[in-house]
Amino acid sequence: MEITKENRRWLDSMELSHPIVIAGPCSAETEEQVLKTAHELKKTDTNVFRAGIWKPRTRPGGFEGVGEIGLPWLQKVKEETGMKVTTEVGNAHHVELALKHNIDILWIGARTTVNPFVVQEIADALKGVDIPVLVKNPVNPDLPLWLGAVERFKTAGISQLGVIHRGFSTYNSLHYRNKPKWHLAIELKKEFPDLPLILDPSHICGRRDTILDVSQTALDLNYDGFMIETHIDPDNAWSDAAQQITPSQLTTITEDLRIRDENSTKEEFLRKLNLHRKELDLIDSNIIEVLGDRMSIAKEIGILKKSENVAILQSGRWADIISKMVESGQEKGLTKDFIEEIFKAIHVESINIQHKV
Ligand code: PEP
Ligand code: MN
């Protein structure tokens, strides 16, 4: 797939002086709630108003969206505030209704991106219409699946594209509702630098107090903007109450974000430096994770050896490991001394762990 500047013209043509802000409630609930929220957002940095009309709920019984009657409310938002409007479409029928009501931008939800049949159905329903489509990441951390959905729209003739990073579902995450797994988005950005990349901190955080922090990370990684759930009365929202913020809280967040929009060479230098530092931080934490995994396997081996009364140290095997690692290290431009030093340290730690067993 080839992504060029042409594919981001929906964003570039807005000529924004700051990263794009898409804001609005998780769900459209009533006409009054939609319009009140929109008028409040008009006073903020918001460029595009979002509201879910059809809500994909994890379990039946939750609020599943107002449906078609909410679409004229979004048209009113356009007329009264001049903001563009966007909503989620989950099937061909939604597409037909959204187009009929002049919705400006469509987004594909995380639970839809996982299903190539449905993505294809939506892409087919859009044949001949060149409306911008933003594809949220699938709920599972699968980059090809995410890109595959973008590719289906591209192939169907949609030339205005973007992706929304909303985090990945995990069984038990204390801190995040959906883990960011930043390295996936960074990989995507490296491969498709012109594809607009938007952060949805609301669904990553699942709570209000961490939205600023997560958004700052995205900004440091050169994201193109944000989609943030905003409600006039968040505590009483009909869906995702814990993560929604008021329009004035949104203003506080956008003011606190250190947005670097100057283009001086120094700014550019600092931005690149920062990006590389973030990348290093991510790699370093992967190294720790891998070392942890390695040591727990070493411990298992220690237990096995003990049960069979086998000595911990088998020096022949260790010499083999070192020479293999030195060889593959050299292919990557790493010196023999460096590899030997690192693996000596790993070996010592492994032996210590096995001694403790
Ligand atoms: C939403 O944006 O309200 C939504 C349902 O998001 P996601 O598809 O990311 O869960
Ligand atoms: Mn939501």
Side-chain angles (χ1 to χ4, degrees), residues 26-27 50 55 177 203 229 239-240 243-244:
C26 177
S27 304
R50 66 149 276 158
K55 299 306 297 179
R177 178 176 175 197
H203 289 89
E229 287 190 340
S239 60
D240 287 351
Q243 71 197 30
Q244 299 205 60

Side-chain angles (χ1 to χ4, degrees), residues 26 50 55-56 88 107-111 136 166 200 203 227 229 240:
C26 177
R50 66 149 276 158
K55 299 306 297 179
E88 171 177 349
W107 92 75
I108 307 301
R111 293 163 194 76
K136 285 201 171 194
R166 52 79 78 195
D200 171 348
H203 289 89
M227 175 187 263
E229 287 190 340
D240 287 351

Side-chain angles (χ1 to χ4, degrees), residues 169-310:
S169 169
T170 48
Y171 185 63
N172 48 8
S173 171
L174 286 177
H175 191 62
Y176 297 109
R177 178 176 175 197
N178 292 290
K179 281 200 177 160
K181 296 189 182 285
W182 295 104
H183 60 282
L184 286 174
I186 292 174
E187 234 173 89
L188 188 144
K189 188 146 181 76
K190 274 189 167 163
E191 202 176 337
F192 302 102
D194 289 326
L195 184 63
L197 172 59
I198 292 167
L199 183 83
D200 171 348
S202 307
H203 289 89
I204 287 179
C205 298
R207 50 197 254 192
R208 295 170 196 140
D209 59 329
T210 47
I211 290 178
L212 173 64
D213 247 21
V214 168
S215 302
Q216 184 62 51
T217 299
L219 214 47
D220 296 342
L221 291 170
N222 293 342
Y223 277 50
D224 295 280
F226 304 97
M227 175 187 263
I228 301 184
E229 287 190 340
T230 317
H231 194 286
I232 30 158
D233 183 11
D235 286 334
N236 291 305
W238 297 2
S239 60
D240 287 351
Q243 71 197 30
Q244 299 205 60
I245 56 173
T246 61
S248 78
Q249 285 168 327
L250 178 68
T251 299
T252 311
I253 286 178
T254 53
E255 280 173 2
D256 287 352
L257 282 173
R258 293 184 304 280
I259 298 178
R260 302 177 188 86
D261 57 2
E262 273 175 62
N263 259 330
S264 74
T265 43
K266 182 141 182 281
E267 282 289 334
E268 189 57 19
F269 160 77
L270 287 174
R271 205 157 60 164
K272 281 188 179 152
L273 186 65
N274 224 337
L275 177 62
H276 289 319
R277 284 186 172 154
K278 285 271 173 195
E279 285 185 287
L280 285 186
D281 289 350
L282 291 168
I283 291 175
D284 287 344
S285 58
N286 284 341
I287 291 177
I288 294 294
E289 210 168 308
V290 169
L291 284 175
D293 288 349
R294 196 196 187 285
M295 293 309 159
S296 26
I297 293 174
K299 189 173 173 191
E300 289 301 318
I301 293 180
I303 294 170
L304 268 178
K305 283 179 180 166
K306 191 177 175 196
S307 70
E308 285 298 317
N309 238 342
V310 173

